[in-house]
Amino acid sequence: MRIHVAYTGGTIGMIHSPEGLLPGADVQGWLSNVLEGTQIDPEQVSFTTFDPLIDSSNATPAHWQLIIDDLIAHWEKADAFVVLHGTDTMSYAASALSYALTGFGKPVIVTGSQHPLGVVESDAIANVTGALNAAISGKATGVTLFFGHHLFAGNRVTKFSSWAFEGFTAPSTGPLARTGTPWHWYASPIPATGWPNPKPYVRQDIAVLDLVPGISAERLRAMLDPAPSAVLVRAYGVGNVPDEEPGLARVVIDLINNGTPVIISSQCLQAEVILGRYAASSPLVKAGAIGTGDMTLEAAYTKLVFLLSQGLQGDELRHWMATPIAGELSLH
Ligand code: ASN
């Protein structure tokens, strides 16, 4: 089996410096040594080292597009793909890849590590060999993320720990598989419509805002002036926004009336946003706010960037935010 590895940066390939961790390890050489004597022939593995290698806290939609372009450029020469990525924004990248690669037809597994490969207690070997095992399994489809002994759908996962080796979770769906002898496979990704011939990712002016008890209408209005291209509000529970705080809901309604899409998600890690369930959110429903259902923040944000990059607005944007493109959303 031919495998292409795209190494984009992240702690996995970092070394210590006086300023802190930065890229510098020989990841390609390390990988060849890891594979020596295994069922994967190192000669069958192609490798792209991104230039520059980044700490994934620096990732932008342009960076997601570079990864997508590299995978597409190697499509004919490989049967499966592994992306080595920093963990900080790995779940954003995996979601972003999932929307753009619905027609790819070959498995893509994203992974990285909490510790650099050069420290004795590193999780790098376990994660990279796990991702490679998923790649050759014949069971992984679409874009997935392997981390801490679990394989997840790439657009269902979130980083919930900055230090634990099992640092990712898929709060609404659980994992697709976990390691062991043999691996246990639980569920298949949710079927979805796909997106033929997507346009490239372009950075969008999206404001992502957390509500907190005590936020005033003046503060919210100030944070949204000038109006962004879209607003993603991290509200409470099933998508509740306070309706008794004078003028607060009005700020959101005015935005919508002036043509800015407003998407309501939840601060709950495991969320099912149901706008209108409580009377508190009914003014927003009437104004046309869009709920995120059970999407993670990462899946909802990257989907919004994806749809705006496709040039969608108004009712089309609303329709596609509520329609699974790559299994990112459950329809109940
Ligand atoms: N800051 C690192 C990154 O996201 C964290 C990691 O990879 N563990 O690139």
Side-chain angles (χ1 to χ4, degrees):
M1 155 133 359
R2 303 164 306 162
I3 297 173
H4 177 67
V5 179
Y7 167 41
T8 70
T11 299
I12 190 164
M14 289 190 184
I15 52 172
H16 289 277
S17 83
E19 285 81 43
L21 288 165
L22 47 77
D26 174 13
V27 176
Q28 190 171 8
W30 169 83
L31 182 61
S32 296
N33 288 337
V34 169
L35 293 180
E36 207 55 59
T38 71
Q39 69 270 49
I40 298 175
D41 178 359
E43 297 289 314
Q44 297 288 319
V45 177
S46 57
F47 199 94
T48 301
T49 301
F50 276 47
D51 183 15
L53 293 164
I54 63 164
D55 184 307
S56 78
S57 56
N58 285 311
T60 67
H63 190 250
W64 304 335
Q65 192 57 44
L66 287 177
I67 303 172
I68 292 159
D69 293 345
D70 181 72
L71 300 181
I72 291 173
H74 290 88
W75 189 86
E76 278 189 19
K77 297 196 190 84
D79 307 303
F81 297 77
V82 171
V83 177
L84 303 181
H85 197 282
T87 60
D88 286 344
T89 62
M90 190 191 287
S91 41
Y92 289 89
S95 285
L97 264 54
S98 78
Y99 302 128
L101 295 173
T102 56
F104 198 61
K106 295 182 180 181
V108 176
I109 298 99
V110 186
T111 194
S113 64
Q114 298 275 38
H115 250 325
L117 56 83
V119 296
V120 82
E121 71 273 34
S122 179
D123 51 336
I125 290 198
N127 287 344
V128 172
T129 54
L132 289 166
N133 197 48
I136 64 174
S137 68
K139 291 185 170 181
T141 56
V143 177
T144 52
L145 185 152
F146 183 87
F147 211 88
H149 292 289
H150 292 88
L151 184 72
F152 304 97
N155 49 32
R156 289 301 201 154
V157 72
T158 196
K159 182 179 178 183
F160 79 99
S161 171
S162 64
W163 56 270
F165 287 164
E166 300 202 353
F168 286 79
T169 184
S172 292
T173 58
L176 298 171
R178 68 157 301 152
T179 62
T181 50
W183 278 32
H184 282 215
W185 292 81
Y186 302 118
S188 305
I190 295 164
T193 59
W195 196 280
N197 306 317
K199 297 191 180 98
Y201 276 101
V202 178
R203 187 193 293 231
Q204 305 292 331
D205 180 17
I206 299 171
V208 179
L209 297 175
D210 267 300
L211 294 182
V212 284
I215 189 168
S216 66
E218 292 70 36
R219 173 48 56 217
L220 189 63
R221 197 178 290 282
M223 289 199 289
L224 294 170
D225 184 22
S229 308
V231 180
L232 202 162
V233 180
R234 297 200 346 123
Y236 306 123
V238 293
N240 293 322
V241 175
D243 62 343
E244 289 177 9
E245 178 64 30
L248 193 89
R250 190 74 241 166
V251 175
V252 179
I253 293 165
D254 285 350
L255 266 180
I256 300 173
N257 290 343
N258 290 333
T260 304
V262 173
I263 289 75
I264 308 283
S265 71
S266 172
Q267 293 172 17
C268 295
L269 202 56
Q270 186 178 59
E272 175 79 54
V273 171
I274 312 168
L275 295 184
R277 171 82 162 270
Y278 289 88
S281 59
S282 95
L284 297 184
V285 182
K286 285 193 193 119
I290 305 166
T292 54
D294 69 350
M295 281 188 277
T296 60
L297 168 70
E298 294 91 322
Y301 173 74
T302 55
K303 187 172 185 180
L304 197 48
V305 180
F306 178 79
L307 295 176
L308 292 172
S309 299
Q310 308 309 306
L312 264 55
Q313 288 177 348
D315 284 347
E316 274 197 315
L317 183 72
R318 166 190 308 284
H319 167 78
W320 284 106
M321 279 307 289
T323 306
I325 294 173
E328 71 282 2
L329 170 71
S330 310
L331 295 177
H332 294 302

